[in-house]
Amino acid sequence: YLDGRDELAAKEPATVQLALREPLAAFGGDRFILREQTARKTIGGGVVLYPFATRPRQRVDPRLSTLTRLREAGDAAERLAALLDLQDGAVVTAPALAAAANLRVDDVHAALRDGDSLVRLPDGGRPDAYASAERWRALRDAAVSRVAAFHEQAPRREGMEMESLHSQLAPDLPAKLFRDVLARLESEGTLRRAGSLV
């Protein structure tokens, strides 16, 4: 139980994370029923909120309020905003959001077209990925910190290798998407690129 409880009374609701022995195909919004091994008794049931969750790091999961926002979301835009806050990485691809929300990619783009607090990568009508404003600020601050630390350690070098920054900052991001991140940071005046150097 993500709220730290050890057990539930019968018919009492809770937000939980299930750890399964084998992979299971599930999308956000899918309903499920849990039965005992013989399938004679029903243990419980529910709705999948976030199918890509990582193991909680604390007894009371700090993601609980965001999961509640996700559960209570009134439309696709609200669901997607909560999902952006749940992701481990700062930048999330449109297909990953679509899978988490059980939407088509076109529906993701339509729902997030007018969100003022979102960062779209690359800029334009059909971005490949999105970031919440808060996650983007954290990514930008981390990028500045790492490049500044590099310059402090190697003041005679013109800049940090882009691949080195990529591996330190967001190793899970595809290379093309990381270049979009750098282009956005450059357009904001945060960093400067010269060839493969940042």
Side-chain angles (χ1 to χ4, degrees), residues 7-145:
E7 57 183 61
L8 288 178
K11 298 185 180 181
E12 191 176 1
T15 303
V16 304
Q17 182 168 357
L18 300 177
L20 306 174
R21 287 187 189 139
E22 298 177 18
L24 174 74
F27 294 100
D30 285 353
R31 297 185 179 279
F32 65 90
I33 296 175
L34 294 176
R35 299 193 195 279
E36 69 166 359
Q37 199 167 9
T38 62
R40 290 185 185 149
K41 288 185 181 175
T42 299
I43 297 169
V47 177
V48 175
L49 293 176
Y50 181 47
F52 306 121
T54 55
R55 182 182 299 267
R57 295 189 180 108
Q58 301 171 26
R59 181 165 170 79
V60 177
D61 196 321
R63 301 171 294 184
L64 198 52
S65 62
T66 308
L67 288 165
T68 301
R69 266 182 41 223
L70 178 59
R71 186 180 68 241
E72 295 173 353
D75 59 22
E78 288 179 14
R79 280 175 41 217
L80 291 165
L83 285 167
L84 279 169
D85 288 338
L86 283 170
Q87 300 287 337
D88 285 334
V91 178
V92 187
T93 65
L97 281 171
N102 199 7
L103 295 170
R104 294 179 325 185
V105 173
D106 288 342
D107 294 333
V108 169
H109 292 308
L112 297 180
R113 180 180 19 227
D114 299 325
D116 293 335
S117 63
L118 293 176
V119 173
R120 293 157 184 82
L121 299 164
D123 287 332
R126 193 169 171 84
D128 294 327
Y130 298 88
S132 69
E134 183 181 340
R135 294 287 181 106
W136 180 255
R137 277 191 298 276
L139 179 70
R140 182 181 58 216
D141 292 349
V144 168
S145 173

Side-chain angles (χ1 to χ4, degrees), residues 128-180:
D128 294 327
Y130 298 88
S132 69
E134 183 181 340
R135 294 287 181 106
W136 180 255
R137 277 191 298 276
L139 179 70
R140 182 181 58 216
D141 292 349
V144 168
S145 173
R146 286 194 169 83
V147 173
F150 172 84
H151 281 303
E152 196 171 298
Q153 292 170 356
R156 293 175 185 242
R157 305 233 354 238
E158 189 177 339
M160 183 177 192
E161 282 292 337
M162 185 170 63
E163 284 308 311
S164 178
L165 181 60
H166 183 188
S167 66
Q168 291 180 39
L169 197 61
D172 295 338
L173 274 187
K176 180 192 177 302
L177 192 48
F178 187 71
R179 285 193 298 275
D180 291 337

